[in-house]
Amino acid sequence: MKILKLGQMLGGSNAPSGASEFENLYSLSFDGVDDYVTCGDADVFTPNNSGANRGFSVSFWIKAANPSGKRILNKNQCFYSGANHYEYFILSDFFAKPTFFLYAGDSTSNAITFRLDSSLSADTWHHIAFTWNLGSTNADMIGYINGVAHSVAIGNATWSLLGSWTSVSNTNCPLEFGRASSQYAAINLDEVALFDNQLSAAEVSAIYNGGTPTDLSGESYLLGYWRNGDTEGTSVYPTIEDYSSNSNDGTMTNMDSGDIVTDVP
Amino acid sequence: MANISQVDFSQVHQTSEATLRLSVDGKETVLKFTGNTPSFLVGLQQYNHSEILAIMASSEWTKKEE
């Protein structure tokens, strides 16, 4: 048995001052040991579960002391019925480049990998967005770091397709933050949102808002919106409320109320 | 895992036995606590955050990418 004595690993304070209707005062600090948030499984987490063919987008803010190789968001590789199952996950790769993996037909033989060719900086908040129109060509996904577009066409992203593409299958895998498989991320994560459409550049720019998170609860096609501690701070532990109409709340797992910290973008 | 039944989950940060992170071989786990050492953990090896992160990054705890 291995034991970690806590006390020196909780995040610092960088809370904004001033009061307004919308405030972002808290984020979640994941320790990289065994912390994660599970939102369970919901049909709406699977791209295009609506069948509306509007696309799929993911938005979040992230900070890490070492942003290399961090598992950020995961709905993938869960084991049931005698097999692993696959939908999608987001990580920062070895070079700290945000990367989105998607699988078609619940198979690792059919996969899209989309990597933004910019590395995240250490100890710095970044806003990341991936926007996808559900297509399977290298023009069908655009990523954004702090509102700056990354795509194959621009020349600052790479795309690969393994096998053939159909669509992402709706598996029973839970949506989780801070881990993927046996890998756990030491990160701060805030304002995570999923959308049932491909966000436009203008929409992503509005979400980035010059580096200050803004209220997404009224956005169209919002599938999930987890504010990671807001609006009530440590008292919400262990529940991470989903502020979308779907109300798929997350649960802080292997964490404590001290992991809701005032280090925010 | 022979002594997992001794863990009082009200005294550690882990949520439950079901959420424990296990080593790749399934024989070890990791526990976290704040303040005084719970009696059921007295005498066991303790690590600080950076030490345990290094251990967790080893092949004994983290599977290679598929």
Side-chain angles (χ1 to χ4, degrees), chain A residues 112-183:
Chain A
I112 288 171
T113 303
F114 182 63
R115 178 173 286 107
L116 311 188
D117 195 19
S118 295
S119 298
L120 302 180
S121 301
D123 287 319
T124 304
W125 280 103
H126 298 82
H127 177 252
I128 306 296
F130 288 99
T131 72
W132 180 40
N133 69 5
L134 308 176
S136 58
T137 75
N138 64 17
D140 292 321
M141 192 175 289
I142 302 173
Y144 298 83
I145 301 177
N146 294 340
V148 176
H150 288 62
S151 70
V152 172
I154 295 170
N156 56 3
T158 59
W159 166 284
S160 65
L161 173 63
L162 176 67
S164 59
W165 192 259
T166 52
S167 61
V168 178
S169 295
N170 183 358
T171 75
N172 296 340
C173 292
L175 177 67
E176 296 179 339
F177 309 152
R179 77 165 182 175
S181 186
S182 65
Q183 303 192 37

Side-chain angles (χ1 to χ4, degrees), chain A residues 31-32 62 66 81 89 110 156-157 170 197 200 221 230 233:
Chain A
D31 64 7
I62 185 171
N66 174 5
S81 300
F89 66 104
N110 304 302
N156 56 3
N170 183 358
N197 69 329
S200 68
Y221 312 124
D230 293 284

